[in-house]
Amino acid sequence: MTSARRRTRGRLPVVLVLPAVVGLAFLLVPLVGLLVRAPWDTLPEQLFSSSVGEALRLSLVCASLATVVCLVLGVPLAWLLARGDVPGRGVLRALVTVPLVLPPVVGGVALLFVLGRRGLVGQYLDAWFGISLPFTTAGVVLAEAFVAMPFLVISVEGALRAADPRYEEAAATLGASRWLAFRRVTLPSILPGVVAGTVLCWARALGEFGATITFAGNFPGETTTMPLAVYLALETDPDAAIVLSVVLLLVSVGVLAALRDRWISGPS
Amino acid sequence: MTSARRRTRGRLPVVLVLPAVVGLAFLLVPLVGLLVRAPWDTLPEQLFSSSVGEALRLSLVCASLATVVCLVLGVPLAWLLARGDVPGRGVLRALVTVPLVLPPVVGGVALLFVLGRRGLVGQYLDAWFGISLPFTTAGVVLAEAFVAMPFLVISVEGALRAADPRYEEAAATLGASRWLAFRRVTLPSILPGVVAGTVLCWARALGEFGATITFAGNFPGETTTMPLAVYLALETDPDAAIVLSVVLLLVSVGVLAALRDRWISGPS
Amino acid sequence: GADSSGAEVGGAVDGRVTVFAAASLTETFTRLGEDFEAAHPGVEVVFNFGGSSALAQQINQGAPADVFASAAPANMTQVGDAGGISGAAVTFARNRLEIAVPKGNPAGITGLADFGDADAKIALCAEQVPCGAAAKRAFEAAGVTARPDTLEQDVKAVLTKVRLGEVDAALVYRTDVRSTGEVEGIEFPEADRTVNDYPIAPLAKARNAAGARAFIDHVRSDRGRAVLAEAGFDTP
Amino acid sequence: MTLHADLRVGRAGFVLAAEVTVEPGEVVALLGPNGAGKTTALRALAGLLPLSGGHIRVGGQTWDAPPEVFRPAERRPIGVVFQDYLLFAHLSALENVAFGLRARGTGRAAAREEAARWLDRVGLAAHAKAKPRTLSGGQAQRVALARALATSPELLLLDEPLAALDAATRLHVRAELGHHLRDYPGHTLLVTHDPLDAMVLADRLVVLEHGRVVQEGTPTEVARRPRTSYVADLVGLNLYRGTAHGTAVSLDAGGTLTIATPASGPVHVVFPPTAVSLHPEHPTGSPRNAWRVTVAGIERHAHTTRVRLDGVPPVLADITTATVADLRLQPGDELWAAVKATEVHAYPS
Amino acid sequence: MTLHADLRVGRAGFVLAAEVTVEPGEVVALLGPNGAGKTTALRALAGLLPLSGGHIRVGGQTWDAPPEVFRPAERRPIGVVFQDYLLFAHLSALENVAFGLRARGTGRAAAREEAARWLDRVGLAAHAKAKPRTLSGGQAQRVALARALATSPELLLLDEPLAALDAATRLHVRAELGHHLRDYPGHTLLVTHDPLDAMVLADRLVVLEHGRVVQEGTPTEVARRPRTSYVADLVGLNLYRGTAHGTAVSLDAGGTLTIATPASGPVHVVFPPTAVSLHPEHPTGSPRNAWRVTVAGIERHAHTTRVRLDGVPPVLADITTATVADLRLQPGDELWAAVKATEVHAYPS
Ligand SMILES: Nc1ncnc2c1ncn2[C@@H]1O[C@H](COP(=O)(O)OP(=O)(O)OP(=O)(O)O)[C@@H](O)[C@H]1O
Ligand SMILES: Nc1ncnc2c1ncn2[C@@H]1O[C@H](COP(=O)(O)OP(=O)(O)OP(=O)(O)O)[C@@H](O)[C@H]1O
Ligand SMILES: [Mg+2]
Ligand SMILES: [Mg+2]
């Protein structure tokens, strides 16, 4: 026992462990606060109420779909920023992070400006195809994707920069187009980075509130995700809101712990 | 010209460029929408109004202070997660990402539960030291740090995992404690990763709204940051809200473009 | 006294008065605060505008407030139940719903009956928030089954959707219609059933009890009522 | 279908300006000191680095001719073995070899079948499913070679393919590579530091120094008439092909040599000019190899003198200047050359 | 203050079980093929890998003795030169050297001063401010050595310190390293592949194979009586110290050798046993070096025979078995040994 656990390196330094523990406490104690104050007796009732179940299901579905959208659009975008020989990459990269800074409600308004019924693009979608995105589940997915995509793009771009481009060159000398090289050589080699980005992206989409309610509105079963349900519950029954948050939180920690353990702690 | 720009690798693959461009458009067109619809004529007036100046200053100060808090606590935490030999790392790491998922308003409520005047910890802070954090500028910093820290932790942890631990071993053979090795060897070598995480963290803190207004309230000059000002403007003058958002956005893009260009596009 | 003007008690008040007020009062209370400060040199009024429920939550968690002005009696009750208010809350303003339509009224909305039209895009407040509860009462009175496309979390979100033409009609407060020139208001007979009371009260833990009382008096003074009325409130 | 390349590439502080011609079926070795521009030349040929001047033409086709033409790597019929192999870590050996076939449009099943044949050919049929990480250096090298050859490229480019191998594996792999190259009908360019690799594997040597070609010719020509002392040091080897029967090797060009370690079948035999001693009479004692030679030429280098000797076989000897004086060496003199059997190394060819 | 180590480390599919003793001032070379466990042993001594059994004791102190005692690397008075140096890229050469001093508590100014002295001692005073990236391989190696020595460690561990150098720099750096090690009072363990490094630098050799010590002794002992044919191949070198005057080297142990490339001052001279030819009479012709020797012993290896010869100097010769028969070699026979001057290499020592 002792021998198996003997440390190669000396004691953990207090000067690092202390702030680390404080930091951990800072992040976790508020959650403990929530858990302590949550009216647990109402949990089963809440959990099995159909509206909560519906909101939870909708949240998971929309966050997952938004993540898929982010993957489909964001991974190529990350590739373009990391490898494509485009001018003004620095500014582009900074612009990509903008949805991070924009208050989500304003992000929702911006989406309405563009994709709303009278929006720059939306008016034609409506007039030509009869497609209207606001107030639909598709709108929720779009709003979540808009807010969450920067995380994916920045993570994947980082992984791409760290990947050795010589493998892509090797693939090229074997006759592989850039697309094939990307798909069969680069992507598998940066998979852990993509998974990490996906996790951040999914978590952000799951928690998204402001842009969603602004762009997609709030209609039970169609656009009411958990954060919206939490917000409305806060208006009338703060305790219920806390229980809902805790439910959302447990589900996401479960998913993240499973995923991250599997994918990310592998190499270390 | 042609010769200087000839591409080593064939055409950019449509199958990557197309979604990348769509993704870029998806992120940028809403911003264009904002810029187009913003009532530019009121911009100078807004920009030089004292309350906006104050909010902008407060935002920058608080986001920067929150980032400092995140660095001081988050870098050691990332180190503990990446290098420390602690049990249950996978779950800890998932828990660290929780503030991402939690609706920010609920995050603010959780902070009130813990640090409020009647909170788990706050009641003692108040009774013993007379310190009250909610509704102060310090509270804004705390709320922003709570929400933004996961970004820093996850980025820095990734950089630490990618760093070659043999340099730490070399430092140990020279008599350096783990702390000295971390400070003088590891930290300088992962600086770009830390800077990237800092940028994400700062951007998130700058845009933070829900936890801030809940935990710190909305007192002009004290806790009213730009996103809160945007919220209030939405109540009274929606056009002004857009102008304010655009201001926030331009300031942050300016800062990010400068930083990221300097620090991150260096090696590529 | 309810009718005393701010100037009469000016000598007794000083220091800082912290007012927690519903976001929908942002414009009027900001103006009233300026008046109050002008009338009481040396007094500083500090506002914390936010959602009424969030404010109630903050007050119950020990926030340093002297006055609470809520957009709904329910939130005032939450504070009162926790023993947070000193004395009784009084209603200082009332608001009522109006139909809001985008400029030009493209869908030709005329009354509540059009809210049952499946083709029209309709936005309402969620029932959990006061404007939603009021809307529900209106539809019950009119015997209309509304077919909303969205149930917004606050009235400003509803208003945004009307302004941008995302919806053809919505029910919002009259004050909201007044606040922007970009929507048109249509009054409807059942609006009497939708009146919403704005209660105000000094708080038990107030650090500046005198200032709190003086500010409430100022709000309820003639000058205060004029400002509120100008914004579209009914003043009792 | 000759490959003509006039490679001009400018880099910070370095200019490559080298002409290289490779005939079909020919193996050309590109030799040169560190930083001479060998890898740069190879990358330009592969299409991984565009020329800034000159051209690359293969048969009637132009691959690169700035500023107009540039054919990217994936559209050149090439095979490259990189110095560190660059095998795809997440694919098995078989999938690595099949990659190029798939990329060039072969169906999945056909590609796997063909890849399996190639793995078999390089003796790795048993490792088809192994991931590159679990292969030894020598095995990885063979997978890389199979991967490069599987697409039947017109131009095969090898960048120090043996550098990462330790001495024992190197011997085997060199012989195997020799086999494959002999059967391979395309153009081959082999970059190497090691004169032995170059002389065993190549039909022609091109020596680069500072980005310029300083000498080219067959290994024998270059070894016999080195133009710079770098080249003299580099390629100063006596190298013959022959057939071994135990410790005796009958050379293809005539003559017999005795080796210490028995071998059989076709071999390369090699010994350095420094191992050759010259005697006025038939030497007595341990040297197993002694034969009559005639001085054909004498060249002075820094501190030694290289003597070209005709005989069966002809041979190069490096001796000290003092010895030259001592023996009063003159072209046309008749002498005995002696080499110890333990100094003669035979490599399967 | 002797270092006694009984190193037992178990790894997946590999077990190290080796005893090593190093006296103060002694340089022990750890030799062995790839994967023999050399680096593993060095890491265990450095405290970067805990033992699973055995112990490490230096003088009265125990550094590792599972399961109780384990002293981490930073509390062992060691200096390590890693194979790839691991210089800190963001620190200048001077700061790299000062790092260990600072870590062990020396003040900033004093540490920099001492570091500057060390840089001067390894001839790099002019490069004190250079970042490691801008140093050549040889310079980087010297900075790494200075960094390891600056803290006056009791135990100096060197993992293939010359492996990354090209042939020309290697020569210089080996000589310099030799100087430093001769003056260094602590224990030194040198891991290397290269027999020449080992024989030039070490007082004693320890040969590891498959995690076990297969032979140990002074270089001469090991070279003269190799126990396995790996050892025979590895250390089969004739190595002498002497003083060069132009092309003549007077050996410290007696005798004189002629070399091709003039040198001056103290040198190591080395030539392989295969370069030695044996003659019944004084040989005529090119070999510059010929002297009388007596057969002291004959050992057969795979295909060659190693003959130990007494004389001035004594010498090893590898000859073919046929030659043994031919010359009817017997211990006690008197012969002439001959070596061409071009085969004798002299290295500054
Ligand atoms: N990416 C690069 N950018 C700028 N200069 C480079 C680059 N790669 C190589 N060089 C320079 O070009 C010159 C030739 O390099 P190259 O790699 O072709 O040499 P080499 O002959 O292959 O050497 P080696 O035997 O060490 O592999 C060197 O001076 C080198 O510093
Ligand atoms: N981190 C590790 N985990 C498991 N096994 C290892 C590890 N490192 C080395 N080994 C194994 O331990 C054995 C000895 O390795 P070691 O690095 O000590 O050899 P070495 O003698 O230094 O070889 P080389 O000359 O190649 O450096 C090898 O079989 C190797 O595969
Ligand atoms: Mg090269
Ligand atoms: Mg090793």
Side-chain angles (χ1 to χ4, degrees):
Chain A
M1 246 172 60
T2 324
S3 79
R5 295 230 39 147
R6 291 191 315 155
R7 291 254 166 65
T8 343
R9 305 286 316 273
R11 279 171 306 115
L12 296 175
V14 172
V15 71
L16 276 178
V17 170
L18 196 70
V21 169
V22 171
L24 201 59
F26 178 49
L27 290 176
L28 297 190
V29 170
L31 307 179
V32 172
L34 274 190
L35 294 179
V36 167
R37 295 292 187 95
W40 289 105
D41 45 332
T42 68
L43 178 65
E45 177 197 329
Q46 290 279 350
L47 208 52
F48 297 113
S49 90
S50 72
S51 70
V52 169
E54 205 169 53
L56 192 57
R57 190 190 54 77
L58 195 68
S59 280
L60 292 173
V61 167
C62 288
S64 303
L65 285 177
T67 305
V68 170
V69 171
C70 289
L71 280 169
V72 169
L73 303 181
V75 171
L77 181 52
W79 173 86
L80 196 72
L81 290 177
R83 291 274 198 280
D85 210 8
V86 292
R89 277 204 289 184
V91 174
L92 272 190
R93 219 183 291 117
L95 281 173
V96 162
T97 57
V98 157
L100 272 177
V101 184
L102 211 59
V105 172
V106 176
V109 170
L111 281 176
L112 281 178
F113 280 162
V114 172
L115 294 172
R117 231 182 0 165
R118 310 240 178 111
L120 293 179
V121 178
Q123 56 185 315
Y124 302 107
L125 283 182
D126 195 28
W128 298 346
F129 309 104
I131 296 175
S132 172
L133 291 170
F135 315 121
T136 62
T137 307
V140 175
V141 172
L142 274 187
E144 291 184 350
F146 177 69
V147 171
M149 194 145 95
F151 298 97
L152 187 84
V153 173
I154 288 173
S155 304
V156 174
E157 200 215 345
L160 275 173
R161 276 167 187 283
D164 190 343
R166 294 182 314 147
Y167 286 92
E168 289 170 32
E169 291 184 353
T173 67
L174 290 165
S177 64
R178 292 185 84 167
W179 162 236
L180 186 70
F182 176 75
R183 193 162 52 87
R184 292 261 292 150
V185 174
T186 315
L187 204 53
S189 77
I190 60 161
L191 205 60
V194 174
V195 172
T198 306
V199 164
L200 281 179
C201 176
W202 183 81
R204 182 69 186 83
L206 196 65
E208 172 26 53
F209 163 70
T212 309
I213 196 159
T214 306
F215 181 62
N218 173 37
F219 198 82
E222 209 165 325
T223 64
T224 302
T225 55
M226 280 297 272
L228 271 62
V230 168
Y231 194 90
L232 285 177
L234 273 176
E235 292 292 324
T236 49
D237 181 359
D239 283 348
I242 290 166
V243 172
L244 292 184
S245 302
V246 169
V247 168
L248 184 61
L249 202 146
L250 293 180
V251 169
S252 88
V253 167
V255 173
L256 293 185
L259 264 188
R260 287 189 65 97
D261 242 28
R262 171 103 184 275
W263 290 101
I264 298 182
S265 52
S268 113
Chain B
M1 246 174 62
T2 325
S3 79
R5 295 231 38 148
R6 290 191 316 155
R7 292 254 163 68
T8 343
R9 306 284 317 272
R11 277 171 306 115
L12 296 175
V14 172
V15 69
L16 276 178
V17 169
L18 196 70
V21 169
V22 171
L24 202 59
F26 179 48
L27 289 177
L28 297 190
V29 170
L31 307 179
V32 172
L34 274 189
L35 295 179
V36 167
R37 297 290 189 97
W40 290 106
D41 44 332
T42 68
L43 178 65
E45 176 196 330
Q46 290 280 349
L47 208 52
F48 298 112
S49 91
S50 72
S51 70
V52 169
E54 204 169 53
L56 192 57
R57 190 190 54 78
L58 195 68
S59 280
L60 292 174
V61 167
C62 288
S64 303
L65 285 177
T67 305
V68 169
V69 170
C70 288
L71 281 170
V72 169
L73 302 181
V75 170
L77 181 52
W79 174 86
L80 196 71
L81 290 178
R83 290 274 199 281
D85 211 8
V86 292
R89 276 203 290 183
V91 173
L92 272 189
R93 219 183 291 118
L95 281 174
V96 163
T97 58
V98 158
L100 272 177
V101 183
L102 210 60
V105 172
V106 177
V109 171
L111 282 175
L112 275 180
F113 281 166
V114 172
L115 295 172
R117 254 209 300 191
R118 315 229 175 117
L120 293 179
V121 178
Q123 57 186 311
Y124 302 107
L125 284 182
D126 195 28
W128 298 345
F129 310 105
I131 296 175
S132 172
L133 291 170
F135 316 111
T136 61
T137 306
V140 176
V141 172
L142 274 188
E144 291 184 350
F146 177 69
V147 172
M149 195 146 92
F151 297 98
L152 186 84
V153 173
I154 288 173
S155 304
V156 173
E157 200 214 346
L160 275 172
R161 278 169 185 281
D164 189 343
R166 294 183 312 146
Y167 286 92
E168 288 171 33
E169 290 186 353
T173 68
L174 290 165
S177 65
R178 293 185 82 167
W179 161 237
L180 187 70
F182 175 76
R183 193 162 52 85
R184 293 262 292 150
V185 174
T186 315
L187 202 54
S189 78
I190 60 161
L191 206 59
V194 174
V195 172
T198 306
V199 164
L200 280 179
C201 175
W202 183 80
R204 181 67 186 88
L206 196 66
E208 171 28 50
F209 163 70
T212 310
I213 196 167
T214 307
F215 181 64
N218 179 15
F219 295 98
E222 208 165 327
T223 67
T224 302
T225 57
M226 280 297 272
L228 271 62
V230 169
Y231 167 79
L232 276 187
L234 275 175
E235 290 289 332
T236 52
D237 180 1
D239 283 346
I242 289 166
V243 172
L244 291 185
S245 302
V246 169
V247 168
L248 184 62
L249 202 146
L250 294 180
V251 169
S252 88
V253 167
V255 173
L256 293 185
L259 264 188
R260 288 188 63 96
D261 242 27
R262 172 102 184 276
W263 289 101
I264 298 182
S265 55
S268 113
Chain C
D3 294 324
S4 62
S5 77
E8 286 174 53
V9 291
V13 183
D14 58 5
R16 170 192 261 238
V17 184
T18 306
V19 179
F20 279 36
S24 51
L25 296 168
T26 305
E27 208 158 16
T28 45
F29 268 42
T30 304
R31 278 174 67 189
L32 289 174
E34 282 162 11
D35 291 350
F36 187 69
E37 282 176 357
H40 301 85
V43 174
E44 186 194 5
V45 183
V46 177
F47 288 108
N48 177 27
F49 293 114
S52 297
S53 62
L55 297 176
Q57 181 94 11
Q58 290 172 357
I59 291 166
N60 286 344
Q61 290 298 326
D66 298 319
V67 176
F68 179 34
S70 168
N75 299 123
M76 186 61 82
T77 311
Q78 281 174 13
V79 177
D81 289 350
I85 61 179
S86 109
V90 292
T91 299
F92 68 95
R94 293 207 170 89
N95 209 348
R96 61 174 65 211
L97 294 184
E98 241 177 49
I99 297 171
V101 296
K103 258 200 172 150
N105 195 2
I109 303 292
T110 54
L112 281 189
D114 295 320
F115 282 71
D117 179 358
D119 291 339
K121 288 260 187 224
I122 303 297
L124 297 175
C125 287
E127 277 176 28
Q128 289 93 330
V129 295
C131 66
K136 190 180 172 200
R137 291 197 300 275
F139 287 117
E140 275 167 7
V144 171
T145 308
R147 307 182 63 167
D149 293 275
T150 177
L151 301 167
E152 300 287 313
Q153 94 282 10
D154 66 40
V155 68
K156 289 297 171 185
V158 175
L159 194 66
T160 300
K161 297 203 164 59
V162 181
R163 282 198 322 118
L164 296 179
E166 285 308 322
V167 294
D168 299 316
L171 285 184
V172 300
Y173 288 114
R174 194 160 71 191
T175 53
D176 298 313
V177 176
R178 297 271 176 95
S179 73
T180 169
E182 295 172 69
V183 303
E184 291 177 9
I186 300 171
E187 300 202 12
F188 58 96
E190 297 82 359
D192 289 344
R193 308 284 296 271
T194 66
V195 170
N196 181 40
D197 290 348
Y198 278 65
I200 191 166
L203 295 173
K205 290 263 169 68
R207 294 176 188 178
N208 189 352
R213 256 179 281 110
F215 183 78
I216 292 171
D217 290 345
H218 178 68
V219 168
R220 302 183 66 204
S221 69
D222 294 341
R223 166 71 188 144
R225 288 153 64 140
V227 169
L228 287 164
E230 192 185 325
F233 287 103
D234 294 330
T235 47
Chain D
M1 282 292 294
T2 311
L3 167 87
H4 287 285
D6 177 13
L7 306 170
R8 280 152 204 286
V9 181
R11 299 194 121 163
F14 174 80
V15 177
L16 174 71
E19 277 192 65
V20 180
T21 306
V22 188
E23 302 296 334
E26 195 186 26
V27 179
V28 172
L30 202 57
L31 287 151
N34 281 334
K38 306 181 295 294
T39 299
T40 305
L42 187 137
R43 287 174 59 83
L45 287 168
L48 298 172
L49 188 70
L51 292 182
S52 47
H55 62 260
I56 302 172
R57 296 212 178 86
V58 181
Q61 298 188 309
T62 303
W63 286 4
D64 196 351
E68 294 86 24
V69 188
F70 180 75
R71 195 196 271 212
E74 64 266 33
R75 295 197 293 116
R76 300 187 185 188
I78 51 174
V80 184
V81 177
F82 294 91
Q83 183 168 343
D84 33 9
Y85 311 145
L86 299 179
L87 296 178
F88 305 133
H90 58 286
L91 299 180
S92 70
L94 186 80
E95 289 162 341
N96 263 282
V97 178
F99 186 93
L101 294 163
R102 297 281 290 129
R104 293 200 151 94
T106 314
R108 188 181 172 75
R112 292 179 75 91
E113 217 168 273
E114 176 74 9
R117 252 197 306 282
W118 272 102
L119 277 184
D120 194 28
R121 213 166 298 171
V122 297
L124 285 175
H127 294 77
K129 292 209 181 102
K131 288 283 161 71
R133 227 183 291 288
T134 68
L135 295 172
S136 81
Q139 291 164 339
Q141 197 277 343
R142 284 182 279 167
V143 174
L145 183 67
R147 186 175 74 169
L149 287 173
T151 54
S152 315
E154 283 174 32
L155 173 60
L156 184 63
L157 299 162
L158 306 154
D159 196 356
E160 312 215 12
L162 305 175
L165 305 184
D166 64 53
T169 2
R170 195 173 177 120
L171 202 79
H172 275 288
V173 177
R174 190 197 290 123
E176 267 175 29
L177 187 59
H179 272 296
H180 290 297
L181 294 185
R182 220 162 299 131
D183 301 344
Y184 168 67
H187 315 75
T188 304
L189 193 81
L190 167 77
V191 165
T192 179
H193 264 133
D194 183 334
L196 194 57
D197 291 348
M199 299 184 75
V200 169
L201 298 172
D203 300 313
R204 200 151 50 81
L205 309 185
V206 175
V207 185
L208 275 188
E209 285 183 56
H210 306 297
R212 257 148 247 282
V213 175
V214 295
Q215 187 162 12
E216 68 179 293
T218 65
T220 325
E221 280 165 22
V222 174
R224 257 140 242 272
R225 287 190 180 72
R227 292 252 185 84
T228 70
S229 61
Y230 165 77
V231 180
D233 280 356
L234 186 73
V235 295
L237 283 178
N238 290 295
L239 178 86
Y240 311 91
R241 295 191 59 179
T243 311
H245 310 275
T247 56
V249 181
S250 12
L251 306 183
D252 294 357
T256 306
L257 286 172
T258 304
I259 53 179
T261 311
S264 75
V267 289
H268 276 107
V269 283
V270 67
F271 51 86
T274 53
V276 180
S277 57
L278 299 180
H279 304 264
E281 345 225 299
H282 188 293
T284 55
S286 62
R288 294 278 89 190
N289 298 297
W291 69 102
R292 288 205 71 94
V293 291
T294 313
V295 176
I298 301 175
E299 274 162 30
R300 293 225 29 186
H301 291 292
H303 297 292
T304 57
T305 302
R306 179 162 295 179
V307 187
R308 276 185 291 127
L309 300 147
D310 287 338
V312 185
V315 67
L316 295 176
D318 278 358
I319 56 181
T320 59
T321 312
T323 313
V324 178
D326 225 33
L327 295 177
R328 290 163 210 272
L329 281 194
Q330 300 267 335
D333 283 0
E334 301 221 331
L335 293 163
W336 288 82
V339 182
K340 292 187 62 196
T342 48
E343 296 264 40
V344 181
H345 296 280
Y347 303 96
S349 75
Chain E
M1 282 291 295
T2 310
L3 167 87
H4 286 286
D6 177 13
L7 306 171
R8 280 153 203 286
V9 181
R11 299 195 120 163
F14 174 81
V15 178
L16 174 70
E19 277 192 65
V20 179
T21 305
V22 188
E23 302 296 333
E26 194 186 27
V27 178
V28 172
L30 202 58
L31 287 152
N34 280 334
K38 305 181 296 294
T39 299
T40 305
L42 187 137
R43 287 174 59 82
L45 286 168
L48 298 173
L49 187 71
L51 293 183
S52 46
H55 62 259
I56 302 172
R57 296 211 179 87
V58 180
Q61 299 188 312
T62 303
W63 286 4
D64 196 350
E68 294 87 23
V69 187
F70 179 75
R71 194 196 270 215
E74 63 266 34
R75 294 198 292 116
R76 301 188 185 188
I78 51 173
V80 184
V81 177
F82 294 91
Q83 183 169 342
D84 32 10
Y85 312 145
L86 300 179
L87 295 178
F88 306 132
H90 58 286
L91 299 181
S92 70
L94 186 80
E95 289 162 340
N96 263 283
V97 177
F99 186 94
L101 295 163
R102 298 280 293 129
R104 294 198 152 95
T106 313
R108 189 180 171 75
R112 291 180 75 91
E113 216 169 273
E114 176 73 10
R117 252 197 307 280
W118 271 103
L119 278 183
D120 193 29
R121 212 167 299 171
V122 298
L124 285 176
H127 294 77
K129 291 208 182 104
K131 287 283 161 68
R133 225 184 292 288
T134 68
L135 294 173
S136 80
Q139 292 164 338
Q141 196 278 344
R142 284 181 279 167
V143 174
L145 183 67
R147 184 175 75 169
L149 286 173
T151 55
S152 313
E154 282 173 32
L155 172 61
L156 184 63
L157 299 162
L158 306 155
D159 197 356
E160 313 215 12
L162 306 175
L165 305 183
D166 65 53
T169 2
R170 196 177 177 118
L171 202 79
H172 275 289
V173 177
R174 189 196 291 124
E176 266 175 30
L177 187 57
H179 273 296
H180 291 296
L181 293 184
R182 222 162 297 132
D183 301 344
Y184 168 67
H187 313 75
T188 304
L189 193 80
L190 167 75
V191 165
T192 178
H193 265 132
D194 183 333
L196 194 57
D197 291 348
M199 300 185 74
V200 169
L201 298 172
D203 301 312
R204 201 149 50 78
L205 309 186
V206 175
V207 185
L208 274 188
E209 284 182 55
H210 305 296
R212 256 149 250 281
V213 175
V214 294
Q215 186 164 11
E216 66 179 292
T218 64
T220 324
E221 279 166 22
V222 174
R224 257 140 242 274
R225 285 189 182 72
R227 292 253 186 81
T228 70
S229 62
Y230 164 77
V231 180
D233 280 356
L234 187 74
V235 295
L237 283 178
N238 290 295
L239 178 84
Y240 311 92
R241 296 189 59 179
T243 313
H245 311 274
T247 57
V249 181
S250 10
L251 306 184
D252 294 358
T256 306
L257 286 173
T258 305
I259 54 179
T261 311
S264 72
V267 289
H268 276 106
V269 284
V270 66
F271 51 89
T274 53
V276 180
S277 57
L278 299 179
H279 304 263
E281 342 223 301
H282 188 293
T284 55
S286 61
R288 293 279 90 187
N289 297 296
W291 69 103
R292 288 204 72 94
V293 291
T294 313
V295 176
I298 301 175
E299 273 163 28
R300 293 227 26 187
H301 293 290
H303 298 290
T304 56
T305 301
R306 180 162 293 181
V307 187
R308 277 185 289 127
L309 300 148
D310 289 338
V312 187
V315 65
L316 295 176
D318 278 357
I319 56 180
T320 59
T321 312
T323 312
V324 178
D326 225 33
L327 295 176
R328 293 162 208 271
L329 281 193
Q330 298 268 337
D333 284 359
E334 301 220 331
L335 294 163
W336 287 83
V339 183
K340 292 187 61 194
T342 49
E343 296 264 39
V344 182
H345 295 281
Y347 303 97
S349 76

